[in-house]
Amino acid sequence: MASRTNQRVLLGCALLCAAVLPWADSSRLRAAESQPQPAVAAANFPIASAARLAGDGKQTRFILDINQAVTFRAVTLADPYRVVVDVPQVNFQLPAGTGAAGRGLVKAFRYGLVMPGGSRIVFDLTGPAKIAKSYVVEAANGQPARLVLELEEADRAAFVQALAPENRPELRPTIAEAQPATAPATTAPETAQQKADGRPVVVIDPGHGGIDNGTQSSGESEKNLVLAFGLALRDKLEKAGKYRVVMTRDDDTFIPLNDRTKIARNHKAALFVSIHADALPRAEGDAQGATIYTLSDKASDAEAQRLADAENRADAIAGFNLAEEPTDVADILIDLTQRETRTFSNRFARLLMGEMKSTVRMHKHPLKSAGFRVLKAPDVPSVLVEIGYVSNKGDLEHLVSEGWRSRAVGSMAQAIDGFLTKRMATAGSSN
Ligand SMILES: [Zn+2]
């Protein structure tokens, strides 16, 4: 894990150093010379302290206050209409709720880390628009540095023109290069180690992260709750020592859905467990308890379909252009493997429910299925567990409670052990 993180940091640095180092060096120099401000911040990331929108449905301006000038790249994406601004890693210290309400051409915006060394701001647009101007103003006259984006209304034809093939390499500027490297980086240094290790690999996948908060309620973000849960589960399994645990993320970084399954496949994982926490919109009443999901082409009910759609939107939330993601090739071999894998996934789901119901309040229909993209590794048994509803008061109390977490993690570890012990016994002679 550490090596993967290092690789990604290195990669991020390699991509961004041209932009980052000049001012990082000069600010460090300045701090060393005069030391007027808290010097700790000097080596740290730029801080964004305020963001605002101005204008109307014809022209809308976005302004971000930062404590130092940054380089950036802005691109537009269609279906849905979005503008994505990539910057070097920024420490966003914006007031809670910033970006939730839009103005003019901007429906809403969000921001956060998409990879170590790289942050992103994603604007959801009310319709097609073009970036008329984008620039950074240096700090002057007591004003902080500002990143400014000026959007102008456009028609769809003009918008699509701006997405012409020759413009496409500009998409996902810092991420584009980093993306394919993510998966190989996770395996290359670990394959040898894995061979020597020989223990079955369990991949734990805390949902969302970075720019994608997941569901939110009462100031709690799904991404933080499920990371805490995932790390506790990792610790529990590692303590027992029977399995090697790989996390898809162990910090607040966004990981695209495809990369999550790639990590599982590259490690030849014996099991993939994705951890989420659901929320119901207030208008749709209250629901509570944990639910275990497996992959299916046909959703088991409308609720499962709604949830799969919501979880599958993660890449769009982070601004990735889904049209660019290669789709899995369907062939007979994959199909056969997948069928077997689904049988194992369902077996694990039932086992997990059996263990969890003794310690965790379960949803009234705790076993469901739908087309979750993150469960699509054809050769790795995979389940997605919604450990509760952040929109339910009682569930939320559980989700933030360490006692509850430890009991729930205990049950999950028990189920994982039960499942893998049986699998190793039956598959034992084949390797
Ligand atoms: Zn989720």
Side-chain angles (χ1 to χ4, degrees):
M1 233 21 253
S3 58
R4 176 175 81 97
T5 309
N6 286 344
Q7 289 242 7
R8 299 183 76 200
V9 170
L10 275 177
L11 190 67
C13 282
L15 290 166
L16 293 164
C17 65
V20 175
L21 287 180
W23 49 252
D25 277 349
S26 62
S27 59
R28 224 175 275 136
L29 264 178
R30 249 180 281 131
E33 278 163 10
S34 51
Q35 288 192 327
Q37 298 117 359
V40 241
N44 285 344
F45 303 109
I47 296 167
S49 54
R52 56 201 170 274
L53 291 163
D56 52 33
K58 294 257 172 263
Q59 289 177 313
T60 307
R61 175 182 291 194
F62 167 79
I63 302 154
L64 181 72
D65 292 342
I66 334 167
N67 69 338
Q68 51 188 282
V70 294
T71 55
F72 72 98
R73 272 205 249 177
V75 295
T76 47
L77 294 174
D79 306 321
Y81 296 115
R82 284 158 294 165
V83 169
V84 171
V85 177
D86 278 333
V87 289
Q89 187 162 345
V90 165
N91 183 355
F92 289 99
Q93 296 182 0
L94 306 179
T98 299
R103 179 173 179 146
L105 293 160
V106 175
K107 209 187 291 175
F109 65 90
R110 54 193 167 268
Y111 47 85
L113 205 59
V114 282
M115 58 178 287
S119 293
R120 174 173 284 184
I121 310 166
V122 179
F123 301 86
D124 295 320
L125 305 181
T126 54
K130 66 171 188 189
I131 303 168
K133 279 184 195 161
S134 58
Y135 49 91
V136 167
V137 188
E138 299 272 346
N141 305 323
Q143 294 282 329
R146 276 160 294 160
L147 190 160
V148 182
L149 197 67
E150 294 183 11
L151 303 176
E152 267 176 29
E153 192 185 26
D155 55 27
R156 179 162 175 97
F159 187 90
V160 171
Q161 185 97 50
L163 298 173
E166 60 271 25
N167 293 331
R168 287 190 182 260
E170 295 298 314
L171 293 174
R172 297 163 35 179
T174 52
I175 309 306
E177 295 84 2
Q179 177 95 338
T182 320
T186 62
T187 37
E190 287 186 359
T191 312
Q193 185 195 331
Q194 187 183 1
K195 264 181 197 153
D197 189 320
R199 292 175 299 169
V201 173
V202 177
V203 172
I204 299 172
D205 173 48
H208 313 279
I211 190 169
D212 175 16
N213 290 318
T215 58
Q216 292 185 88
S217 182
S218 313
E220 299 288 344
S221 287
E222 176 185 1
K223 67 171 181 178
N224 297 329
L225 294 170
V226 299
L227 178 60
F229 194 99
L231 291 173
L233 180 58
R234 174 193 67 184
D235 293 347
K236 180 87 184 172
L237 288 170
E238 280 187 344
K239 213 168 164 191
K242 286 172 73 177
Y243 310 107
R244 199 159 70 86
V245 181
V246 173
M247 304 290 291
T248 55
R249 69 177 180 100
D250 55 9
D251 60 15
D252 187 22
T253 306
F254 177 81
I255 311 285
L257 295 173
N258 273 357
D259 282 12
R260 296 172 190 260
T261 48
K262 254 186 244 164
I263 288 168
R265 300 197 66 198
N266 289 342
H267 283 92
K268 299 193 166 43
L271 189 61
F272 175 89
V273 183
S274 191
I275 313 283
H276 288 258
D278 199 3
L280 264 197
R282 194 163 295 172
E284 289 179 29
D286 203 7
Q288 60 180 45
T291 313
I292 301 161
Y293 289 87
T294 49
L295 179 67
S296 168
D297 302 325
K298 203 168 164 288
S300 52
D301 57 36
E303 168 74 4
Q305 183 66 53
R306 172 198 68 80
L307 184 79
D309 291 345
E311 301 291 10
N312 289 347
R313 263 181 48 232
D315 285 353
I317 285 169
F320 288 96
N321 194 353
L322 289 179
E324 284 195 313
E325 301 286 350
T327 46
D328 290 332
V329 192
D331 67 35
I332 288 173
L333 242 155
I334 286 186
D335 194 56
L336 279 174
T337 315
Q338 196 147 36
R339 237 179 272 176
E340 195 196 34
T341 301
R342 285 189 193 186
T343 306
F344 284 118
S345 301
N346 292 334
R347 183 181 297 171
F348 175 64
R350 284 193 302 274
L351 233 138
L352 184 56
M353 185 186 67
E355 288 295 341
M356 281 179 76
K357 70 180 181 200
S358 58
T359 54
V360 176
R361 180 164 73 179
M362 301 300 287
H363 188 270
K364 58 180 189 283
H365 305 295
L367 284 181
K368 293 188 185 186
S369 58
F372 293 90
R373 284 182 58 211
V374 81
L375 299 180
K376 285 191 173 170
D379 44 3
V380 181
S382 304
V383 302
L384 182 147
V385 185
E386 297 280 346
I387 53 178
Y389 285 83
V390 299
S391 51
N392 176 269
K393 197 166 164 282
D395 274 11
L396 188 59
E397 275 168 21
H398 287 160
L399 294 173
V400 298
S401 144
E402 245 173 75
W404 179 88
R405 185 182 303 145
S406 143
R407 288 192 299 277
V409 156
S411 298
M412 221 179 256
Q414 189 82 35
I416 291 170
D417 188 45
F419 175 74
L420 292 179
T421 303
K422 188 157 181 220
R423 279 220 72 183
M424 285 186 309
T426 44
S429 53
S430 67
N431 0 317

